[in-house]
Amino acid sequence: MRAAAAGLLCLAVPAGAFAADDEEDEPAKPTVPNIYLDLRTIYATIPAGTLALGFGNTSLSAAFQALAAQRGTSLPNGLPAAKSIAIDLPLTVDVSDRVSLYGGVSGTTTDIGGGWSSFDITSWNIGVQADLYQQNGGRIPTIRLQSTLTQSVPNEQGMTNSVNNIVEFDYAVDEDETRGWLAGLQYTTVTIAGPFATIRPNTILYAGGYYQWPSNWKFTGRLGMQSFGGAQLAGRTLAESFTQPVLRLDLDRMDDNDNRLFGITAQIAWMPKPSYQVTLRTPLYAVRN
């Protein structure tokens, strides 16, 4: 019996050691998701007679749509040209490598010809981004959905609610997914708290691509066509409908785990006159895996 026990002990010890080695070979999974404040600082110019449109401009769009509804009747010559500085503060949680949840507030200051207004909280938003399907070296591209609900502040006559939905297809051409092609659709709808104002949907159909260098700098370009249905208030046209091109260029600094450390975005949207926008992204991490 002693000999049998000794033999079992000799067999058990190496087996346990091999199991420990196998566990050490597997990468440790983070127990806490990424949590960060995705700070975005936006400067934009908006031509006369239109709204702040383009790729994903939920905060600027909500602020200018509310401004149009509230001041439209007092502007006999229509909406003037404007400049704006906005700060977005969405708290973001990367639940997994497939799903991110976010929500926060946005503040804006505008200049419509009489000097800059005071900086105020002008909207709040909540949203989700999810990979419905991941390519993982296959032939079917990653299918990504992003949906954002934005409401202007304060909650009064002329308040706007907008829903921005983006479906994007991401086809990587290498195993490390550092090079690839993009195609997608953005569709934005707006409702106004008022019986006499209407803002019709805005749609962008686009294509593009990306390249990430070994230094972890990543460039992404998107070129598309934007179609806006126009805006009316009490029978007056606040913003004309149009179908025009839109261009967006992104340069991001990533870490080895594809977390964004810094980003800058430049956008030109013709409405039909060009609208320019520059965005700085400086995420502030509480937890970064």
Side-chain angles (χ1 to χ4, degrees), residues 238-258:
L238 288 178
E240 298 284 352
S241 61
F242 63 82
T243 300
Q244 295 287 338
V246 56
L247 173 66
R248 171 175 164 173
L249 305 174
D250 295 87
L251 182 64
D252 296 298
R253 180 72 166 90
M254 316 296 286
D255 66 9
D256 291 335
N257 296 312
D258 280 341

Side-chain angles (χ1 to χ4, degrees), residues 135 137-142 169-174 177 179-183 210:
Q135 182 179 354
R139 295 187 177 183
I140 300 176
T142 295
F169 299 86
D170 178 348
Y171 183 79
V173 298
D174 65 339
E177 299 184 353
R179 295 176 291 127
W181 302 103
L182 300 171
Y210 57 90

